[in-house]
Amino acid sequence: MKRVEDYIKSIPDFPQKGIIFRDVTSVLESADGFSLAIDEMNKLLDGVDYNLIAGTESRGFIFGAPLAYMNKKGFIPVRKKGKLPRETVEMSYDLEYGSATIEIHKDAIKPGDRVVLVDDLIATGGTIQASAKLIEQLGGEVVKMIFLIELPDLGGRKVLAGYDVESIVQYQGE
């Protein structure tokens, strides 16, 4: 039986020399791989009390929306600045080379909402940390963070200390 990591392609020297890029599009291209990835991520939600799933742009949408559908939960998109039509709240954060700003609709999260955050990959943790802060700013509680891939050596778990963080596949030292 295949595992999720069997569907992930590793691309050396992308986007720059010395980096091994973990390509999730190869998971999505396979019906079996995509189904397996969603099923494995869904197992991480067993026993979790939540009412919303939030996914970060853009691959968090790809994995978060099917999980919300399967579990009959609402889905909240966390978008790059300027992409949402209603009133928003925003958070800026630093990237390895520069900064970014994300936002969610101001009325998407109600006080007391229990939210699971979903993304394809956790590396440094900056995007998901900013997403959590936005949810908390609106009165929601982040009860779990789930990822398909984790790059532990980049320190994302340390940035997210205090949150329940789980991933399906971990790649050490890269």
Side-chain angles (χ1 to χ4, degrees):
M1 181 172 183
K2 282 192 155 187
R3 302 170 305 157
V4 172
E5 48 266 47
D6 296 331
Y7 293 95
I8 298 169
K9 289 187 179 177
S10 297
I11 313 299
D13 298 323
F14 183 83
Q16 63 189 36
K17 189 166 179 61
I19 302 290
I20 299 176
F21 185 82
R22 306 303 179 171
D23 184 15
V24 298
T25 63
S26 55
V27 175
L28 304 174
E29 292 166 356
S30 164
D32 291 338
F34 189 38
S35 294
L36 180 59
I38 295 299
D39 289 345
E40 291 298 309
M41 292 177 87
N42 194 49
K43 288 177 188 175
L44 300 179
L45 298 176
D46 285 349
V48 178
D49 178 22
Y50 66 102
N51 62 301
L52 293 170
I53 291 180
T56 55
E57 188 167 340
S58 65
R59 291 177 300 258
F61 299 177
I62 294 169
F63 294 101
L67 290 169
Y69 172 79
M70 287 173 69
N71 293 290
K72 297 183 177 16
K73 306 294 182 184
F75 179 78
I76 308 299
V78 180
R79 303 278 331 248
K80 295 174 183 168
K81 184 175 175 62
K83 302 286 186 177
L84 293 171
R86 300 190 317 263
E87 187 177 359
T88 63
V89 292
E90 66 180 50
M91 178 79 52
S92 294
Y93 60 99
D94 291 329
L95 297 168
E96 189 175 352
Y97 302 106
S99 64
T101 301
I102 56 170
E103 55 188 14
I104 59 175
H105 282 128
K106 191 173 186 177
D107 61 356
I109 306 291
K110 314 282 185 296
D113 279 341
R114 298 174 57 78
V115 183
V116 171
L117 270 166
V118 177
D119 205 352
D120 68 320
L121 180 126
I122 177 176
T124 62
T127 302
I128 210 78
Q129 180 187 47
S131 300
K133 287 180 181 179
L134 281 177
I135 289 164
E136 292 162 352
Q137 180 182 324
L138 293 172
E141 177 186 359
V142 176
V143 296
K144 191 156 192 107
M145 298 174 171
I146 63 173
F147 306 90
L148 186 66
I149 299 171
E150 180 175 359
L151 305 176
D153 291 350
L154 296 181
R157 277 190 191 257
K158 290 177 190 161
V159 169
L160 303 173
Y163 292 105
D164 182 359
V165 176
E166 286 194 78
S167 60
I168 303 299
V169 180
Q170 299 81 35
Y171 290 104
Q172 297 289 337
E174 301 165 51

